[in-house]
Amino acid sequence: MDSPGGQPPHDSRQEHARRLETGLPVEVPSTALFTDQYELTMLQAALRAGTAERRSAFEVFTRRLPEGRRYGVVAGTGRVLDAVENFRFDGQLLDFLRETRVVDEPTLERLADYRFGGDILGYPEGEVYFPGSPILRVEGTFAECVLLETVILSILNHDSAVAAAASRMAVAAADRPLIEMGARRTHELGAVAAARAAYVGGFDTTSDLAAGFRYRIPTVGTSAHAFTLLHDTERDAFTAQVDSLGSGTTLLVDTYDVAEAVRTAVEVAGPELGAVRIDSGDLLLVAHRVRQQLDELGADRTRIVVTSDLDEYAIASLAAAPVDAYGVGTQLVTGSGHPTCSMVYKLVARADSDTPGAPLRPVAKRSTGGKTSIGGAKWAARPVDADGVATAEIVGTGEVPPELAEHLLQVKLVDRGTVVGREPLDAARDRHRAARARLPMSATQLSRGEAVLPVEHV
């Protein structure tokens, strides 16, 4: 019997505690509970009202870009596809919902058989977007579409925020390599997603081995200050590292005195020393001094890597410095001050009955306060001028004008429940580089400004 207040029975709590005490993993076997409770209570109410089977179209969009940003970056699409495929209510999840009385038994029976069988169209991963862009459209019955809202927004809002920050940093770095190293600054699973999104946005490597394992992103890393402090002298630490990793390693030179460390590093590794890393101080001044010292010591091919709380502005300020690579952590995985994209998931069209083939009619929120939306399932196109530069983001409903057909942005991602839009991560990374290159030059300015392309509704 359920305990008072809808809490799990005592034996369930005991089992949960036992798993924690014994170190057994508390696993989430599917993405189905990565959702808000009201998604399930809406389903229950719609089932009772007889409206759950009405064909519906939901769209993901944002009403504005973060202040000062000129464009957004779509990231996380591949993770969304994984989440939709894995959105299943197994026995444990159904038992939890039953014990906690979240929904009634008929709704639980419906959830037990849940499989998304509709269509998903959207901007391919790596593409750029603007306020009002129909980034993703989910079509199917209300019952199957409404449940996906929270998990889709959770993924897209996080990953797109990181990718947008990464893109700005990649522009500021001007083709110098970028290392993602923010795992210790965010949730352990969020770090893996952040590394993936950063790679889409233009970063080259990650320090996070879980991201390397899961997504095959190249990984890098050598040593921290702790390794130097472990040894009796800095020379001992450098010698141990070079003996283990070879002369092509990167030696951290700011534990004590930078100039002395650089001298010792070259003496230990020789002129073939791969790189030195600077993690503190006036990076502009120190980088120039270190470059001069390395050259004087004959290590003219030794690279300089800088870390230390970098963001796109700090990277841009080092454009004239002899820096060969940047390592970025906190500011990257937190979206450089904008950790979400404020994307929403709104019903934009629905049928008046559950009759198969019933036409969809536009619906929209009309409240005041800046939260209105535009009804109708939308298409989007981005025409370019004679030089291949995008001129506008055109969004419409109904038939696509013939002159815009070759400039459509959305692609089919899921077809009647089957994922058809999965692709290698490098494809999204390459797409973003190409999409950014087609934007007007002002898109890459770090100064404050409005979205670089207007969104025209037709």
Side-chain angles (χ1 to χ4, degrees):
M1 177 180 292
D2 291 341
S3 55
Q7 294 300 311
H10 182 66
D11 58 348
S12 295
R13 293 197 300 271
Q14 278 190 330
E15 172 62 15
H16 183 75
R18 184 191 69 79
R19 288 167 64 85
L20 291 175
E21 290 169 0
T22 57
L24 295 173
V26 181
E27 298 176 347
V28 179
S30 82
T31 54
L33 293 190
F34 291 166
T35 192
D36 293 306
Q37 180 167 314
Y38 79 170
E39 315 291 8
L40 273 63
T41 54
M42 280 193 286
L43 172 60
Q44 175 177 306
L47 287 170
R48 289 192 181 188
T51 54
E53 303 307 321
R54 289 184 175 181
R55 207 158 58 90
S56 303
F58 287 80
E59 284 181 350
V60 174
F61 63 94
T62 185
R63 296 183 176 93
R64 66 191 66 84
L65 295 176
E67 184 179 358
R69 298 288 173 89
R70 307 296 182 94
Y71 60 92
V73 180
V74 178
T77 309
R79 296 208 308 120
V80 166
L81 298 180
D82 292 341
V84 171
E85 277 191 332
N86 200 37
F87 204 93
R88 304 283 188 271
F89 292 87
D90 64 16
Q92 283 184 308
L93 303 191
L94 294 170
D95 287 345
F96 165 74
L97 296 174
R98 181 177 291 110
E99 292 163 1
T100 52
R101 301 175 182 174
V102 171
V103 289
D104 60 17
E105 199 62 34
T107 306
L108 291 173
E109 292 176 6
R110 176 60 183 269
L111 293 177
D113 296 326
Y114 180 88
R115 300 290 186 274
F116 179 73
D119 297 334
I120 299 180
L121 297 87
Y123 285 33
E125 190 158 17
E127 186 56 84
V128 298
Y129 71 87
F130 303 94
S133 295
I135 296 166
L136 198 75
R137 183 164 83 243
V138 181
E139 295 184 0
T141 67
F142 180 85
E144 59 189 346
C145 295
V146 72
L147 297 183
L148 298 177
E149 175 181 7
T150 302
V151 69
I152 286 177
L153 289 179
S154 175
I155 293 170
L156 292 181
N157 269 313
H158 172 269
D159 290 22
S160 297
V162 174
S167 180
R168 286 163 61 85
M169 293 174 190
V171 168
D175 295 326
R176 296 174 184 176
L178 289 161
I179 307 163
E180 185 281 316
M181 47 194 304
R184 64 192 61 194
R185 304 302 188 200
T186 188
H187 185 278
E188 66 273 16
L189 298 181
V192 181
R196 183 187 183 282
Y199 189 70
V200 170
F203 273 60
D204 301 277
T205 55
T206 179
S207 66
D208 192 301
L209 287 176
F213 171 75
R214 182 160 188 177
Y215 298 115
R216 292 300 185 261
I217 301 170
T219 60
V220 295
T222 50
S223 68
H225 293 102
F227 186 76
T228 301
L229 296 170
L230 170 68
H231 293 81
D232 295 336
T233 67
E234 197 166 44
R235 180 179 295 274
D236 289 344
F238 290 171
T239 300
Q241 184 173 329
V242 171
D243 285 348
S244 175
L245 301 178
S247 61
T249 191
T250 299
L251 295 175
L252 182 58
V253 295
D254 72 327
T255 305
Y256 305 117
D257 178 83
V258 172
E260 182 61 31
V262 171
R263 185 178 303 108
T264 302
V266 176
E267 290 175 359
V268 170
E272 299 304 314
L273 173 63
V276 296
R277 179 162 74 95
I278 306 166
D279 189 50
S280 60
D282 184 335
L283 297 179
L284 179 61
L285 176 62
V286 175
H288 277 288
R289 288 178 174 174
V290 168
R291 181 73 272 159
Q292 180 179 354
Q293 186 181 9
L294 287 170
D295 291 347
E296 291 173 350
L297 293 170
D300 57 331
R301 289 185 294 178
T302 298
R303 295 171 294 111
I304 297 175
V305 180
V306 297
T307 52
S308 185
D309 295 325
L310 298 177
D311 62 9
E312 61 266 48
Y313 301 103
I315 292 170
S317 73
L318 294 169
V323 172
D324 298 287
Y326 306 90
V328 190
T330 303
Q331 291 301 317
L332 177 60
V333 299
T334 57
S336 194
H338 299 287
T340 180
C341 300
S342 299
M343 293 180 185
V344 295
Y345 183 97
K346 297 298 181 183
L347 181 66
V348 295
R350 55 92 168 171
D352 289 327
S353 72
D354 58 6
T355 302
L360 296 179
R361 67 176 180 85
V363 294
K365 181 177 179 180
R366 298 299 185 193
S367 65
T368 59
K371 287 193 173 183
T372 58
S373 57
I374 298 175
K378 302 170 194 68
W379 50 261
R382 190 179 301 149
V384 296
D385 64 17
D387 296 318
V389 178
T391 57
E393 188 99 338
I394 301 176
V395 176
T397 59
E399 293 295 322
V400 179
E403 66 273 16
L404 295 178
E406 63 178 307
H407 302 293
L408 291 176
L409 293 164
Q410 294 152 314
V411 298
K412 181 65 73 72
L413 298 169
V414 176
D415 184 15
R416 290 174 290 183
T418 300
V419 171
V420 296
R422 189 172 279 115
E423 61 183 2
L425 191 58
D426 279 325
R429 174 182 168 85
D430 293 342
R431 179 180 296 110
H432 176 61
R433 187 183 297 110
R436 192 176 62 206
R438 287 192 292 270
L439 294 178
M441 289 187 64
S442 58
T444 59
Q445 294 177 347
L446 295 181
S447 57
R448 294 187 180 277
E450 300 300 321
V452 71
L453 287 183
V455 176
E456 301 175 5
H457 292 276
V458 297

